[in-house]
C-alpha cells in the first residue's frame, strides 16, 4: 500500500497567516491527490482534488500544488473558520490511503 | 443534491458482526461514474479507508480488513451496506459512507460523505 506522510501533525497560526501543509507519497501517484478539511463532529469536506482543482464552493484562499510524490496544501490567509484538521488522500490505486492529518490551531 | 445517510446499531458486542447501511438520495446508486464506499475514524484518530463497491458488484477492500469485510449494493433500495465480522474494541469508530466520483478520464475524488455514525464495540 502507498504510504502518505503528512506534516506537520499540528501547527499554531494566527488569522491572516499563510499556512502550508505537505504530503509525501511513498511512490509516485501522478496527480491523484486530494485534500480534505474536517471540523470537530463533522464529516470531512473535499477542498481540492487532482492536486490543484478547487472543489465548487471552496474559497480561493485554498490552493494545492505538487506532482509525483510531493504535494502541498496552502491557505493564503488563514480565516477563523479554517481552524480544523486537514487530511490528504491518495486516489491513485487501491487501497486508498490517507495522510495522518494536520490539526490547525489558533495561536 | 446528493445525500448519504448511514443507519445501523450504535453498539455491537465483541466477536459479533457490525452491519451498517447507507441510503443514497438525490441520485442513483447505479450511476456509471460513481463508486460507493466506507471510511472510518476511531475516536481522536485519523481517517481509515475500508473499501469501495461499484453498483455492478465489484469490490475493493483494505488488505488489513479484507478477511472480515463484505460490501453489497441493493439497487432497488438505492442502498449499499457494510458488514464487518468478528469485531473487537479496535473497530470502535465513526463510520462514514461515501461516494467516489469519476469526474474525468482517470480523475476521481470522494466528494460526498454521510454524516457518520458512531459504532462502539463493547459487551
Amino acid at each position: 500500500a502507498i504510504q502518505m506522510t503528512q506534516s506537520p501533525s499540528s501547527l499554531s497560526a494566527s488569522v491572516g497567516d499563510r499556512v502550508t501543509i505537505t504530503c509525501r507519497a511513498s511512490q509516485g501517484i501522478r496527480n491523484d491527490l486530494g485534500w480534505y478539511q474536517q471540523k470537530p463532529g463533522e464529516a470531512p469536506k473535499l477542498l481540492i482534488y487532482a492536486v490543484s482543482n478547487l472543489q465548487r464552493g471552496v474559497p480561493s484562499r485554498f490552493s494545492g500544488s505538487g506532482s509525483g510524490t510531493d504535494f502541498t496544501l496552502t491557505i493564503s490567509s488563514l480565516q477563523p473558520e479554517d481552524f480544523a484538521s486537514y487530511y490528504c488522500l491518495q486516489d491513485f490505486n487501491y487501497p486508498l490511503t490517507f495522510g495522518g492529518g494536520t490539526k490547525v490551531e489558533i495561536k | 443534491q446528493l445525500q448519504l445517510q448511514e443507519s445501523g446499531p450504535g453498539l455491537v458486542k465483541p466477536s459479533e458482526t457490525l452491519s451498517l447501511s447507507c441510503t443514497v438520495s438525490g441520485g442513483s446508486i447505479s450511476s456509471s461514474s460513481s463508486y460507493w464506499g466506507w471510511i472510518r475514524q476511531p475516536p481522536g484518530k485519523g481517517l481509515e479507508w475500508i473499501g469501495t463497491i461499484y453498483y455492478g458488484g465489484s469490490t475493493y477492500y483494505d488488505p488489513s480488513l479484507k478477511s472480515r469485510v463484505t460490501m453489497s449494493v441493493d439497487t432497488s433500495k438505492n442502498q449499499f451496506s457494510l458488514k464487518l465480522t468478528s469485531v473487537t474494541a479496535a473497530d470502535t469508530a465513526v463510520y462514514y459512507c461515501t461516494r467516489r466520483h469519476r469526474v474525468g478520464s482517470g480523475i476521481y475524488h470522494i466528494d460526498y460523505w454521510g454524516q457518520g455514525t458512531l459504532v462502539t464495540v463493547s459487551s
Side-chain angles (χ1 to χ4, degrees):
Chain A
I2 297 173
Q3 305 298 318
M4 301 300 296
T5 303
Q6 186 172 340
S7 61
S9 57
S10 66
L11 65 89
S12 295
S14 301
V15 172
D17 283 354
R18 182 182 181 88
V19 168
T20 298
I21 298 168
T22 64
C23 258
R24 172 165 289 176
S26 59
Q27 67 183 73
I29 57 172
R30 297 184 316 191
N31 65 340
D32 297 321
L33 190 284
W35 291 97
Y36 294 81
Q37 177 193 66
Q38 186 181 31
K39 296 180 180 179
E42 298 182 4
K45 170 189 170 186
L46 176 66
L47 298 176
I48 289 170
Y49 65 93
V51 176
S52 58
N53 293 269
L54 208 61
Q55 176 69 344
R56 277 192 310 272
V58 174
S60 59
R61 62 181 180 273
F62 291 94
S63 64
S65 63
S67 64
T69 60
D70 294 306
F71 304 91
T72 299
L73 171 70
T74 299
I75 309 172
S76 60
S77 178
L78 199 65
Q79 297 303 299
E81 60 269 30
D82 301 336
F83 291 95
S85 293
Y86 294 84
Y87 295 90
C88 63
L89 169 67
Q90 71 80 16
D91 208 332
F92 175 67
N93 64 11
Y94 294 117
L96 307 187
T97 45
F98 288 93
T102 297
K103 186 173 184 179
V104 177
E105 299 176 305
I106 301 172
K107 183 183 285 185
Chain B
Q1 175 79 350
L2 195 73
Q3 291 187 321
L4 284 69
Q5 178 67 57
E6 304 91 351
S7 59
L11 181 64
V12 181
K13 290 183 169 55
S15 79
E16 295 190 345
T17 297
L18 179 159
S19 296
L20 295 174
S21 294
C22 182
T23 300
V24 178
S25 57
S28 173
I29 203 168
S30 301
S31 164
S32 61
S33 61
S34 297
Y35 295 72
W36 309 96
W38 295 91
I39 290 168
R40 69 181 184 179
Q41 185 170 35
K45 295 187 178 181
L47 299 165
E48 302 176 355
W49 181 78
I50 299 172
T52 291
I53 186 166
Y54 192 56
Y55 78 94
S58 301
T59 54
Y60 309 87
Y61 301 141
D62 187 273
S64 68
L65 298 171
K66 188 174 183 178
S67 63
R68 299 194 290 130
V69 170
T70 303
M71 294 183 185
S72 59
V73 168
D74 187 335
T75 55
S76 67
K77 295 182 179 178
N78 228 34
Q79 284 183 344
F80 60 102
S81 299
L82 168 70
K83 290 188 187 302
L84 182 65
T85 62
S86 305
V87 297
T88 69
D91 295 309
T92 293
V94 174
Y95 285 76
Y96 296 100
C97 59
T98 63
R99 181 184 82 157
R100 182 173 181 241
H101 183 54
R102 188 180 73 246
V103 294
S105 177
I107 299 175
Y108 297 83
H109 59 246
I110 296 175
D111 57 354
Y112 283 95
W113 300 63
Q115 65 184 25
T117 187
L118 175 63
V119 179
T120 301
V121 178
S122 175
S123 54

